[in-house]
Amino acid sequence: MFTTLITCAQLQALQQTGAPLMLIDCTADLMNPAVGAQQFLQAHLPGALHADLDHDLSAQGDSESASGGRHPLPRREVFAQWLRQMGLHADMQVVVYDRNGQNFCGRLWWMLKWAGHAAVAVLDGGLSAWTQAGGAVESGPATPRTPSDWTLRPALRTLVSADEVLARLGQPDQTLIDARATPRYRGEVEPLDPVAGHIPGALNRPFGLNLDEQGLFKPAATLRAEFEALLAGRDPASVVHQCGSGVSAVPNLLAMEVAGFAPTRLFAGSWSEWCRDPSRPVAKG
């Protein structure tokens, strides 16, 4: 079972065993939502399915939502119905990937853990690493799978609400890590949300820092040293990850697990939910 990362070589070996496997392409573009599906049609791993960030991995209305923000999480029951339509079975190893620095596929990795499916891993390096390793690709639409009877299991990852973040603000049992680019964190620019700045006390670690020059996750020891330096003595168990809308926070969460830390928490509504309530404090700089 692969539960964090899987290399291209490991995936190729797994494919040869004939083990139950589901590949899901999560390529997306925040500025042009149609791009992900278009790029999937152009090239994807053979047999892969496609997950759309806005339609499949985000709630379609308040009645379906488990969080706030620009990309609200669908309730677990709603997500489970989508997984059944995709044909997921309990014994399947799921491998998720994208063309976006393991950013958008991290969302689905976390959601599957939240739904109780442990056997899910991110393809390290994504489609680029796969093709560089000689992996085959195909074009055209995905081949639909037969719907399954997959059922929810106890959540393996923890979701934190805006109210919970506010209640623990400044307390030692909560350390916020903001995954946005540093100019956004500082409040110097804000291209997406109505207010610029960050949650008071949050530490900044742009999610791209987890990758090396080849687009692969850095070695576990390197990641551990970097997070320990960022935390500067704070308890790793206190960490809550956030970003703009809860998507790019996940690479930091995943990187901490690759580094050997226990699973940490996610504030999925993130800055986009936080800043819409003028009663919540805002910091800059």
Side-chain angles (χ1 to χ4, degrees), residues 167-205:
R168 292 182 171 87
L169 208 61
Q171 301 299 313
D173 64 346
Q174 176 176 271
T175 302
L176 293 166
I177 296 182
D178 188 330
R180 294 177 299 161
T182 299
R184 287 187 68 195
Y185 167 83
R186 290 175 178 165
E188 297 166 359
V189 297
E190 184 43 67
L192 297 170
D193 294 309
V195 179
H198 61 266
I199 301 173
L203 307 176
N204 184 217
R205 179 179 171 84

Short mmCIF file of all heavy atoms in Angstrom, two decimals, residues 167-205:
data_model
loop_
_atom_site.label_atom_id
_atom_site.label_comp_id
_atom_site.label_asym_id
_atom_site.label_seq_id
_atom_site.Cartn_x
_atom_site.Cartn_y
_atom_site.Cartn_z
N ALA A 167 -11.03 30.47 17.66
CA ALA A 167 -11.07 30.19 19.10
C ALA A 167 -9.67 29.88 19.65
O ALA A 167 -9.40 30.14 20.83
CB ALA A 167 -12.01 29.02 19.38
N ARG A 168 -8.77 29.34 18.81
CA ARG A 168 -7.43 28.95 19.26
C ARG A 168 -6.35 29.94 18.82
O ARG A 168 -5.17 29.67 19.00
CB ARG A 168 -7.10 27.55 18.75
CG ARG A 168 -7.95 26.45 19.38
CD ARG A 168 -7.55 25.09 18.86
NE ARG A 168 -8.19 24.01 19.59
CZ ARG A 168 -9.39 23.52 19.31
NH1 ARG A 168 -10.08 24.01 18.28
NH2 ARG A 168 -9.92 22.54 20.03
N LEU A 169 -6.76 31.06 18.25
CA LEU A 169 -5.79 32.02 17.74
C LEU A 169 -4.86 32.48 18.87
O LEU A 169 -5.30 32.89 19.93
CB LEU A 169 -6.52 33.21 17.14
CG LEU A 169 -5.81 33.97 16.02
CD1 LEU A 169 -5.56 33.05 14.83
CD2 LEU A 169 -6.64 35.17 15.58
N GLY A 170 -3.56 32.36 18.63
CA GLY A 170 -2.57 32.77 19.63
C GLY A 170 -2.29 31.76 20.70
O GLY A 170 -1.46 32.01 21.59
N GLN A 171 -2.94 30.59 20.65
CA GLN A 171 -2.73 29.56 21.66
C GLN A 171 -1.62 28.60 21.20
O GLN A 171 -1.44 28.36 20.00
CB GLN A 171 -4.03 28.77 21.90
CG GLN A 171 -5.19 29.63 22.38
CD GLN A 171 -4.88 30.31 23.70
OE1 GLN A 171 -4.41 29.67 24.64
NE2 GLN A 171 -5.14 31.61 23.77
N PRO A 172 -0.89 28.01 22.15
CA PRO A 172 0.23 27.13 21.77
C PRO A 172 -0.21 25.82 21.12
O PRO A 172 0.62 25.13 20.51
CB PRO A 172 0.94 26.87 23.10
CG PRO A 172 -0.08 27.15 24.16
CD PRO A 172 -0.95 28.23 23.61
N ASP A 173 -1.50 25.47 21.23
CA ASP A 173 -1.96 24.22 20.62
C ASP A 173 -2.39 24.41 19.17
O ASP A 173 -2.96 23.51 18.56
CB ASP A 173 -3.10 23.60 21.44
CG ASP A 173 -4.35 24.47 21.47
OD1 ASP A 173 -4.28 25.66 21.11
OD2 ASP A 173 -5.41 23.95 21.89
N GLN A 174 -2.12 25.59 18.59
CA GLN A 174 -2.43 25.84 17.18
C GLN A 174 -1.31 26.66 16.54
O GLN A 174 -1.00 27.76 16.98
CB GLN A 174 -3.75 26.60 17.03
CG GLN A 174 -4.08 26.98 15.58
CD GLN A 174 -5.43 27.63 15.44
OE1 GLN A 174 -6.44 26.95 15.25
NE2 GLN A 174 -5.48 28.94 15.56
N THR A 175 -0.71 26.08 15.50
CA THR A 175 0.30 26.78 14.71
C THR A 175 -0.16 26.77 13.26
O THR A 175 -0.20 25.71 12.63
CB THR A 175 1.68 26.10 14.81
OG1 THR A 175 2.09 26.05 16.18
CG2 THR A 175 2.71 26.85 14.00
N LEU A 176 -0.53 27.93 12.74
CA LEU A 176 -0.99 28.03 11.37
C LEU A 176 0.20 28.12 10.42
O LEU A 176 1.16 28.86 10.66
CB LEU A 176 -1.87 29.27 11.19
CG LEU A 176 -3.20 29.25 11.93
CD1 LEU A 176 -3.81 30.65 11.95
CD2 LEU A 176 -4.16 28.27 11.28
N ILE A 177 0.15 27.36 9.31
CA ILE A 177 1.13 27.48 8.24
C ILE A 177 0.39 27.85 6.97
O ILE A 177 -0.47 27.10 6.50
CB ILE A 177 1.93 26.18 8.05
CG1 ILE A 177 2.76 25.86 9.31
CG2 ILE A 177 2.84 26.29 6.84
CD1 ILE A 177 3.61 24.61 9.20
N ASP A 178 0.73 29.01 6.42
CA ASP A 178 0.10 29.57 5.23
C ASP A 178 0.94 29.23 4.01
O ASP A 178 2.11 29.60 3.93
CB ASP A 178 -0.02 31.09 5.42
CG ASP A 178 -0.84 31.77 4.33
OD1 ASP A 178 -0.85 31.29 3.19
OD2 ASP A 178 -1.45 32.82 4.64
N ALA A 179 0.34 28.53 3.04
CA ALA A 179 1.09 28.02 1.89
C ALA A 179 1.11 28.98 0.70
O ALA A 179 1.67 28.64 -0.35
CB ALA A 179 0.49 26.69 1.43
N ARG A 180 0.53 30.16 0.84
CA ARG A 180 0.48 31.09 -0.29
C ARG A 180 1.85 31.72 -0.56
O ARG A 180 2.74 31.73 0.30
CB ARG A 180 -0.53 32.20 -0.02
CG ARG A 180 -1.98 31.72 0.05
CD ARG A 180 -2.92 32.86 0.41
NE ARG A 180 -2.57 33.41 1.72
CZ ARG A 180 -2.95 34.62 2.14
NH1 ARG A 180 -3.68 35.41 1.36
NH2 ARG A 180 -2.60 35.04 3.34
N ALA A 181 1.99 32.29 -1.75
CA ALA A 181 3.20 33.02 -2.10
C ALA A 181 3.42 34.15 -1.10
O ALA A 181 2.46 34.76 -0.61
CB ALA A 181 3.09 33.58 -3.51
N THR A 182 4.67 34.44 -0.80
CA THR A 182 4.99 35.41 0.25
C THR A 182 4.39 36.80 0.03
O THR A 182 3.90 37.41 0.98
CB THR A 182 6.51 35.48 0.44
OG1 THR A 182 6.98 34.18 0.83
CG2 THR A 182 6.89 36.49 1.51
N PRO A 183 4.36 37.36 -1.21
CA PRO A 183 3.72 38.67 -1.38
C PRO A 183 2.24 38.67 -1.01
O PRO A 183 1.73 39.67 -0.47
CB PRO A 183 3.93 38.96 -2.87
CG PRO A 183 5.18 38.21 -3.23
CD PRO A 183 5.09 36.94 -2.42
N ARG A 184 1.55 37.57 -1.25
CA ARG A 184 0.14 37.48 -0.84
C ARG A 184 0.04 37.37 0.68
O ARG A 184 -0.81 38.00 1.31
CB ARG A 184 -0.54 36.27 -1.49
CG ARG A 184 -0.82 36.44 -2.97
CD ARG A 184 -1.65 35.28 -3.50
NE ARG A 184 -3.00 35.30 -2.96
CZ ARG A 184 -3.86 34.27 -3.00
NH1 ARG A 184 -3.47 33.13 -3.55
NH2 ARG A 184 -5.06 34.38 -2.50
N TYR A 185 0.89 36.54 1.26
CA TYR A 185 0.91 36.41 2.72
C TYR A 185 1.14 37.76 3.39
O TYR A 185 0.45 38.11 4.36
CB TYR A 185 2.00 35.41 3.11
CG TYR A 185 2.36 35.40 4.57
CD1 TYR A 185 1.63 34.67 5.49
CD2 TYR A 185 3.47 36.13 5.03
CE1 TYR A 185 1.97 34.65 6.84
CE2 TYR A 185 3.82 36.11 6.36
CZ TYR A 185 3.06 35.38 7.26
OH TYR A 185 3.41 35.38 8.59
N ARG A 186 2.06 38.53 2.87
CA ARG A 186 2.37 39.84 3.46
C ARG A 186 1.27 40.88 3.22
O ARG A 186 1.25 41.93 3.86
CB ARG A 186 3.68 40.36 2.89
CG ARG A 186 4.92 39.59 3.34
CD ARG A 186 6.14 40.11 2.61
NE ARG A 186 7.36 39.43 3.05
CZ ARG A 186 8.52 39.48 2.40
NH1 ARG A 186 8.60 40.17 1.27
NH2 ARG A 186 9.57 38.83 2.86
N GLY A 187 0.39 40.60 2.27
CA GLY A 187 -0.66 41.56 1.95
C GLY A 187 -0.24 42.60 0.94
O GLY A 187 -0.91 43.61 0.77
N GLU A 188 0.86 42.34 0.23
CA GLU A 188 1.35 43.29 -0.77
C GLU A 188 0.52 43.22 -2.05
O GLU A 188 0.37 44.22 -2.76
CB GLU A 188 2.81 42.99 -1.09
CG GLU A 188 3.73 43.17 0.12
CD GLU A 188 5.11 42.56 -0.10
OE1 GLU A 188 5.33 41.99 -1.20
OE2 GLU A 188 5.95 42.64 0.81
N VAL A 189 -0.01 42.04 -2.37
CA VAL A 189 -0.89 41.83 -3.53
C VAL A 189 -1.98 40.86 -3.10
O VAL A 189 -1.79 40.06 -2.18
CB VAL A 189 -0.13 41.25 -4.74
CG1 VAL A 189 0.93 42.22 -5.24
CG2 VAL A 189 0.51 39.91 -4.39
N GLU A 190 -3.12 40.92 -3.77
CA GLU A 190 -4.19 39.94 -3.54
C GLU A 190 -5.04 39.82 -4.80
O GLU A 190 -5.98 40.58 -5.01
CB GLU A 190 -5.05 40.31 -2.33
CG GLU A 190 -6.11 39.25 -2.01
CD GLU A 190 -5.57 37.84 -2.08
OE1 GLU A 190 -4.72 37.49 -1.25
OE2 GLU A 190 -5.95 37.09 -3.01
N PRO A 191 -4.68 38.86 -5.66
CA PRO A 191 -5.37 38.74 -6.95
C PRO A 191 -6.72 38.04 -6.91
O PRO A 191 -7.47 38.12 -7.89
CB PRO A 191 -4.37 37.93 -7.78
CG PRO A 191 -3.67 37.07 -6.76
CD PRO A 191 -3.56 37.93 -5.54
N LEU A 192 -7.04 37.36 -5.81
CA LEU A 192 -8.22 36.50 -5.80
C LEU A 192 -9.25 36.84 -4.74
O LEU A 192 -10.45 36.64 -4.95
CB LEU A 192 -7.79 35.04 -5.63
CG LEU A 192 -6.93 34.46 -6.77
CD1 LEU A 192 -6.37 33.10 -6.37
CD2 LEU A 192 -7.74 34.35 -8.04
N ASP A 193 -8.84 37.33 -3.61
CA ASP A 193 -9.76 37.54 -2.49
C ASP A 193 -9.95 39.02 -2.20
O ASP A 193 -9.12 39.86 -2.56
CB ASP A 193 -9.24 36.79 -1.26
CG ASP A 193 -9.27 35.28 -1.46
OD1 ASP A 193 -10.34 34.77 -1.85
OD2 ASP A 193 -8.24 34.62 -1.24
N PRO A 194 -11.06 39.39 -1.52
CA PRO A 194 -11.40 40.81 -1.34
C PRO A 194 -10.53 41.56 -0.35
O PRO A 194 -10.53 42.79 -0.35
CB PRO A 194 -12.86 40.76 -0.87
CG PRO A 194 -13.01 39.42 -0.24
CD PRO A 194 -12.15 38.50 -1.04
N VAL A 195 -9.79 40.84 0.50
CA VAL A 195 -8.96 41.47 1.52
C VAL A 195 -7.55 40.89 1.40
O VAL A 195 -7.39 39.69 1.19
CB VAL A 195 -9.52 41.23 2.94
CG1 VAL A 195 -8.62 41.87 3.99
CG2 VAL A 195 -10.94 41.76 3.05
N ALA A 196 -6.53 41.74 1.55
CA ALA A 196 -5.14 41.29 1.50
C ALA A 196 -4.61 41.10 2.92
O ALA A 196 -5.03 41.78 3.85
CB ALA A 196 -4.27 42.29 0.75
N GLY A 197 -3.67 40.17 3.07
CA GLY A 197 -3.04 39.94 4.37
C GLY A 197 -3.06 38.48 4.76
O GLY A 197 -3.22 37.60 3.90
N HIS A 198 -2.91 38.21 6.06
CA HIS A 198 -2.90 36.84 6.53
C HIS A 198 -3.50 36.74 7.93
O HIS A 198 -3.73 37.76 8.58
CB HIS A 198 -1.47 36.26 6.53
CG HIS A 198 -0.51 36.99 7.42
ND1 HIS A 198 0.31 38.00 6.97
CD2 HIS A 198 -0.22 36.86 8.75
CE1 HIS A 198 1.05 38.45 7.97
NE2 HIS A 198 0.75 37.76 9.07
N ILE A 199 -3.76 35.54 8.36
CA ILE A 199 -4.30 35.31 9.69
C ILE A 199 -3.20 35.61 10.70
O ILE A 199 -2.06 35.13 10.55
CB ILE A 199 -4.78 33.86 9.84
CG1 ILE A 199 -5.87 33.54 8.81
CG2 ILE A 199 -5.33 33.61 11.25
CD1 ILE A 199 -6.29 32.10 8.77
N PRO A 200 -3.48 36.41 11.72
CA PRO A 200 -2.43 36.78 12.69
C PRO A 200 -1.74 35.55 13.28
O PRO A 200 -2.40 34.58 13.68
CB PRO A 200 -3.20 37.55 13.75
CG PRO A 200 -4.36 38.14 13.01
CD PRO A 200 -4.76 37.08 12.00
N GLY A 201 -0.42 35.61 13.30
CA GLY A 201 0.38 34.52 13.88
C GLY A 201 0.75 33.42 12.92
O GLY A 201 1.58 32.56 13.25
N ALA A 202 0.15 33.41 11.72
CA ALA A 202 0.46 32.35 10.76
C ALA A 202 1.90 32.44 10.28
O ALA A 202 2.44 33.53 10.08
CB ALA A 202 -0.49 32.42 9.57
N LEU A 203 2.52 31.29 10.10
CA LEU A 203 3.84 31.20 9.50
C LEU A 203 3.67 31.02 7.99
O LEU A 203 2.67 30.50 7.54
CB LEU A 203 4.61 30.00 10.07
CG LEU A 203 4.72 29.92 11.60
CD1 LEU A 203 5.41 28.63 12.01
CD2 LEU A 203 5.45 31.13 12.15
N ASN A 204 4.65 31.44 7.22
CA ASN A 204 4.54 31.36 5.76
C ASN A 204 5.53 30.33 5.20
O ASN A 204 6.73 30.40 5.45
CB ASN A 204 4.81 32.74 5.15
CG ASN A 204 4.63 32.78 3.64
OD1 ASN A 204 5.37 33.46 2.94
ND2 ASN A 204 3.65 32.08 3.12
N ARG A 205 4.98 29.36 4.46
CA ARG A 205 5.82 28.42 3.70
C ARG A 205 5.13 28.18 2.35
O ARG A 205 4.22 27.34 2.25
CB ARG A 205 6.02 27.09 4.43
CG ARG A 205 6.88 26.11 3.60
CD ARG A 205 7.11 24.80 4.31
NE ARG A 205 7.73 23.80 3.45
CZ ARG A 205 9.04 23.68 3.21
NH1 ARG A 205 9.88 24.53 3.76
NH2 ARG A 205 9.49 22.72 2.42
#
